[in-house]
């Protein structure tokens, strides 16, 4: 396959940045998208040019590091798939592919396609944990969990924090991420003691980071590589409204 | 961390404001639509109904107090709805300062994509509508004592552009409600996948029914069914 790539190149956070066109020849349909970028980078290095910076780590679709806006689709055209697990057979010979970084004020571009997703860490730090006694794992039967709750919590826990939800959201909202990180705890008994302080803390951190608000447009859940459902945000809304009307305190983690 | 802002100003709180005010406005829209349908019961009945609206609450409340209380509630709801929408729209714009070079259309739905501009169109229509049938300024008859005559004169065939604008506004309203009604449930904590399917279906049926209820009046006048 011969492809034309239009890639966002930006030397650093202060650089203005622009789309640059690169032809890439002899791409195997069995390559992953990132392997295709590796091929391009090897050529750029041999030519003495600056290789394209992009985030990646496990390349198994579970670490959440990779994230590219491919032809306006977060993680590319295949649903339920991270960019690293996307294969070139999804494209046709002669295609032009636009590759851009996640666009959000909360995710400033560090270089080329790499963005700083530290804002997600701040949301987690504001309440995405439980104050549980440490030690050996407790006997599983000692704390019964309803099957439906366990399933829903697991669904949320599948979030890898890649940021595709923010990238795809027309409002640049990080609500799907925040809701997933919230409900994986709030649905389980272990998460109950801090349930209402957690939600206030995490929503505050979300808003402070400069993410937009959710308008239930549903873009996030379409591109989410882990298929976190949109109704997760409803759970967040309910917890937030309960927490604020109850006056459940405003010190996260207390 | 100390609380520095009201929960209402959070992204979740603003959506709750939009949901509650939206529901209030929807309740009014339902009542208004049912009232409109009185036009099919004849001129005397319709005019009688219109005059009765000014007298609700008598003798408990003097004069047209009820009407003014209702108007105040509606204006507060409209202002709060628009305020929350504007704050959220500005935040959304600030959240993505650099646009994508290649951007697909929102896949959610046409309704979800057009909420903001649709809202602006509806607001402009409401202003026109008040000048037309409440104050009578833009109405060819404009007689406060003869609401039936005002309506019939308004949608007369030679004033087809009024009917066209009315239809466009109502269809826009339908799209606004199709997403808005579902969105309101979600913003107020609707949280299960099955509930989401139900809420979406209910919103669609409701939007279509409301549109039909509103559109049947001008088209009845246009076709001479009501004259």
């Amino acid at each position: 396959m011969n492809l034309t790539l239009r890639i966002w190149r930006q030397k650093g956070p202060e650089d203005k940045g622009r789309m640059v066109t690169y032809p890439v020849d002899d791409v195997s349909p069995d390559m992953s998208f990132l392997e295709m970028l590796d091929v391009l980078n090897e050529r750029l290095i041999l030519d003495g040019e600056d290789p394209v910076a992009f985030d990646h780590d496990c390349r198994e679709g579970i670490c959440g590091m990779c994230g590219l806006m491919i032809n306006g689709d977060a993680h590319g055209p295949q649903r339920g798939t991270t960019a690293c697990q996307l294969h070139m057979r999804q494209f046709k010979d002669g295609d032009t592919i636009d590759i851009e970084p996640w666009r959000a004020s909360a995710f400033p571009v560090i270089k080329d396609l790499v963005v700083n997703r530290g804002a997600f860490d701040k949301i987690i730090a504001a309440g995405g944990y439980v104050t549980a006694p440490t030690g050996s794992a407790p006997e599983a039967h000692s704390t019964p969990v309803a099957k439906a709750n366990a399933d829903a919590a697991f669904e949320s826990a599948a979030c890898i924090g890649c940021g595709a939800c923010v990238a795809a959201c027309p409002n640049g909202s990080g609500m799907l991420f925040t809701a997933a990180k919230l409900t994986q705890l709030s649905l389980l008994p272990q998460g109950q003691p801090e349930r209402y302080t957690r939600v206030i803390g995490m929503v505050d951190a979300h808003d402070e980071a400069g993410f937009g608000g959710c308008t239930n447009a549903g873009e996030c859940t379409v591109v989410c590589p882990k298929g976190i459902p949109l109704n997760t945000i409803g759970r967040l809304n309910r917890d937030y409204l309960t927490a604020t009307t109850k006056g459940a305190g405003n010190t996260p983690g207390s | 961390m100390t609380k520095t802002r009201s929960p209402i100003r959070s992204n979740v709180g603003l959506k709750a404001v939009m949901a509650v005010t939206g529901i209030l406005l929807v309740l009014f829209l339902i009542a208004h639509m049912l009232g409109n349908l009185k036009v099919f019961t004849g001129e005397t009945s319709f005019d009688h109904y219109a005059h009765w609206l000014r007298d609700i609450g008598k003798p408990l409340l003097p004069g047209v107090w009820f009407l003014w209380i209702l108007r105040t509630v509606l204006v507060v709801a409209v202002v709060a709805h628009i305020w929350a929408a504007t704050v959220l729209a500005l935040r959304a714009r600030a959240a993505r300062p650099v646009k994508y070079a290649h951007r697909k259309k929102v896949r959610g739905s046409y309704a979800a994509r057009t909420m903001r501009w649709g809202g602006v169109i509806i607001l402009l229509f409401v202003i026109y509508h008040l000048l037309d049938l409440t104050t009578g300024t833009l109405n060819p008859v404009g007689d406060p004592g003869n609401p039936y005559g005002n309506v019939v004169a308004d949608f007369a065939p030679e004033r087809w552009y009024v009917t066209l604008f009315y239809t466009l506004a109502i269809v826009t309203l339908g799209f606004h409600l199709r997403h808005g009604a579902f969105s309101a449930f979600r913003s107020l904590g609707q949280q299960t996948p099955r509930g989401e399917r139900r809420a979406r279906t209910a919103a669609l049926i409701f939007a279509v029914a409301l549109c039909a209820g509103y559109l049947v009046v001008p088209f009845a006048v246009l076709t001479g069914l009501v004259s």
Side-chain angles (χ1 to χ4, degrees):
Chain A
M1 294 165 78
N2 297 324
L3 300 167
T4 308
L5 304 180
R6 300 203 312 144
I7 303 178
W8 181 260
R9 298 306 307 266
Q10 184 174 342
K11 288 195 174 70
E14 306 306 324
D15 185 22
K16 202 162 176 297
R18 73 233 149 262
M19 298 295 275
V20 179
T21 307
Y22 298 98
V24 185
D25 299 334
D26 294 327
V27 174
S28 158
D30 297 330
M31 282 179 182
S32 77
F33 200 84
L34 300 190
E35 282 167 344
M36 184 272 297
L37 289 177
D38 291 339
V39 168
L40 169 69
N41 277 345
E42 280 172 7
R43 199 192 80 203
L44 290 177
I45 292 166
L46 287 177
D47 291 350
E49 289 180 53
D50 196 19
V52 178
F54 61 91
D55 257 334
H56 61 105
D57 191 12
C58 74
R59 300 208 177 193
E60 289 179 335
I62 52 166
C63 75
M65 273 307 279
C66 64
L68 303 169
M69 206 69 175
I70 302 167
N71 280 340
D73 261 323
H75 288 301
Q78 194 178 15
R79 300 278 77 91
T81 310
T82 53
C84 63
Q85 292 280 289
L86 178 72
H87 287 84
M88 296 314 294
R89 63 183 78 100
Q90 299 290 332
F91 300 90
K92 292 194 306 292
D93 186 37
D95 275 0
T96 300
I97 306 173
D98 290 334
I99 309 170
E100 293 174 80
W102 291 166
R103 293 284 187 211
S105 62
F107 289 168
V109 173
I110 299 170
K111 189 182 179 188
D112 295 340
L113 304 170
V114 180
V115 297
N116 179 358
R117 283 168 288 189
F120 272 5
D121 297 335
K122 288 192 182 130
I123 295 175
I124 296 295
Y129 49 82
V130 285
T131 317
T134 53
S136 57
E139 154 62 29
H141 286 305
S142 60
T143 317
V145 181
K147 172 75 171 141
N149 286 350
D151 286 350
F154 191 83
E155 213 169 30
S156 293
C159 172
I160 54 176
C162 64
C165 45
V166 176
C169 177
N171 306 305
S173 174
M175 273 297 165
L176 193 67
F177 167 82
T178 311
K181 294 301 177 192
L182 181 92
T183 52
Q184 64 174 352
L185 303 173
S186 66
L187 283 161
L188 298 177
Q190 292 83 350
Q192 294 314 306
E194 293 137 318
R195 180 170 183 173
Y196 295 112
T197 52
R198 174 184 302 120
V199 65
I200 293 177
M202 289 177 82
V203 169
D204 279 352
H206 169 276
D207 292 2
E208 268 166 38
F211 292 108
C214 173
T215 58
N216 306 312
E219 284 294 281
C220 51
T221 190
V222 175
V223 300
C224 176
K226 299 298 155 185
I228 313 272
L230 192 62
N231 61 286
T232 315
I233 296 174
R235 294 188 208 279
L236 176 145
N237 291 340
R238 177 171 291 211
D239 272 11
Y240 186 82
L241 295 177
T242 311
T244 48
T245 47
K246 263 178 156 179
N250 52 44
T251 316
S254 64
Chain B
M1 193 190 285
T2 50
K3 184 150 62 180
T4 52
R5 59 164 194 186
S6 149
I8 286 190
R9 290 180 181 276
S10 73
N11 284 324
V12 180
L14 286 171
K15 286 297 285 180
V17 168
M18 294 199 68
V20 171
T21 54
I23 288 169
L24 279 176
L25 295 170
V26 160
L27 291 176
F28 168 75
L29 284 175
I30 296 170
H32 185 12
M33 184 202 79
L34 294 174
N36 285 0
L37 295 178
K38 290 281 274 182
V39 84
F40 292 103
T41 59
E43 183 165 358
T44 343
S45 170
F46 185 72
D47 285 353
H48 180 258
Y49 164 74
H51 291 130
W52 168 77
L53 285 178
R54 308 182 68 83
D55 293 340
I56 302 177
K58 269 185 185 173
L60 213 61
L61 295 168
V64 288
W65 272 44
F66 174 83
L67 198 64
W68 279 105
I69 292 168
L70 183 69
R71 283 171 176 169
T72 310
V73 171
L74 289 177
V75 167
V76 168
V78 167
V79 169
H81 199 74
I82 294 175
W83 166 72
T86 309
V87 174
L88 285 167
L90 292 176
R91 280 186 197 172
R93 180 174 291 192
R96 178 158 301 134
V98 183
K99 302 279 175 261
Y100 288 107
H102 187 140
R103 179 70 169 145
K104 292 213 164 128
K105 278 182 181 167
V106 173
R107 265 157 300 216
S109 70
Y110 179 78
R113 187 146 43 94
T114 53
M115 286 305 273
R116 287 179 185 138
W117 284 111
V120 172
I121 293 173
I122 293 166
L123 175 68
L124 292 176
F125 170 74
V126 167
I127 293 169
Y128 163 76
H129 193 58
L130 290 175
L131 290 173
D132 178 17
L133 287 165
T134 304
T135 66
T137 323
L138 296 176
N139 192 279
V141 174
D143 175 9
N146 183 14
Y148 188 88
N150 294 343
V151 169
V152 171
D154 216 15
F155 299 118
E158 60 272 17
R159 280 165 56 87
W160 56 270
Y161 47 89
V162 170
T163 312
L164 182 71
F165 179 45
Y166 185 91
T167 309
L168 283 177
I170 294 297
V171 170
T172 309
L173 176 70
F175 278 112
H176 201 76
L177 291 178
R178 185 218 187 300
H179 181 73
F182 152 69
S183 196
F185 287 120
R186 173 55 46 81
S187 298
L188 293 176
Q190 184 286 317
Q191 56 172 350
T192 61
R194 191 203 285 175
E196 178 176 331
R197 283 194 295 277
R198 282 186 190 157
R200 282 186 191 276
T201 314
L204 178 62
I205 294 171
F206 172 68
V208 170
L210 202 81
C211 271
Y214 273 112
L215 287 180
V216 73
V217 175
F219 281 94
V221 176
L222 197 67
T223 55
L225 206 66
V226 169
S227 58

